[in-house]
Amino acid sequence: MKKELRIKKNKEFQTAFQKGQSFANRQFVVYSLPKEGQDHFRIGLSVSKKIGNAVTRNRIKRYVRQSILELNEQLAIGNDYVIIARKPAADMDFFEVKKSLTHVLKVGKVLKK
């Protein structure tokens, strides 16, 4: 992902956790924080060590990034999104991850239909 589309700093993650709105399903938790004057969305990913080894965690992050790239036309711009993977995400393939992310983003009303 391009540098301007990523959230990397701990302070930005903490702001999203404290001030953002959260919505979830069994596989993912998404925090959405509107940002004024931002003409694109930004994504932060968090996959805990409890989910699996490095190979599993990196695979989940790749799947989530690719899903977001495919959904970027439908995502609301001007927001920061922090996506946290839960344990069941470790056993999913790419299409299941994309379907689950689409579901949780629709629940949060940040995905255009």
Side-chain angles (χ1 to χ4, degrees), residues 81-92:
Y81 300 103
V82 175
I83 301 171
I84 302 171
R86 288 181 169 170
K87 190 86 169 162
D91 303 324
M92 298 169 70

Side-chain angles (χ1 to χ4, degrees), residues 1 53 62-63 67 74 85 95 108:
M1 294 188 85
N53 61 9
R62 277 198 317 271
Y63 288 168
S67 299
Q74 300 170 332
F95 298 105

Side-chain angles (χ1 to χ4, degrees), residues 61-111:
K61 288 189 274 189
R62 277 198 317 271
Y63 288 168
V64 170
R65 282 190 204 108
Q66 185 60 36
S67 299
I68 293 298
L69 284 174
E70 290 182 10
L71 294 170
N72 71 355
E73 297 295 322
Q74 300 170 332
L75 268 173
I77 60 171
N79 286 358
D80 281 357
Y81 300 103
V82 175
I83 301 171
I84 302 171
R86 288 181 169 170
K87 190 86 169 162
D91 303 324
M92 298 169 70
D93 65 6
F94 171 71
F95 298 105
E96 292 172 328
V97 168
K98 185 176 177 186
K99 185 177 178 185
S100 179
L101 265 178
T102 304
H103 171 260
V104 76
L105 291 170
K106 281 183 182 175
V107 166
K109 297 181 177 70
V110 294
L111 200 65

Side-chain angles (χ1 to χ4, degrees), residues 6 58 106:
R6 291 183 294 195
N58 289 334
K106 281 183 182 175

Side-chain angles (χ1 to χ4, degrees), residues 16-67:
F17 293 145
Q18 291 166 4
K19 298 182 180 173
Q21 179 186 9
S22 70
F23 30 94
N25 62 9
R26 289 189 183 275
Q27 294 85 16
F28 296 101
V29 179
V30 178
Y31 286 87
S32 174
L33 179 66
K35 298 283 256 189
E36 293 295 323
Q38 188 170 284
D39 59 345
H40 54 274
F41 63 85
R42 296 192 311 162
I43 298 292
L45 296 175
S46 175
V47 183
S48 171
K49 283 187 177 181
K50 293 178 184 177
I51 290 181
N53 61 9
V55 175
T56 304
R57 295 193 309 268
N58 289 334
R59 181 172 31 86
I60 293 170
K61 288 189 274 189
R62 277 198 317 271
Y63 288 168
V64 170
R65 282 190 204 108
Q66 185 60 36
S67 299

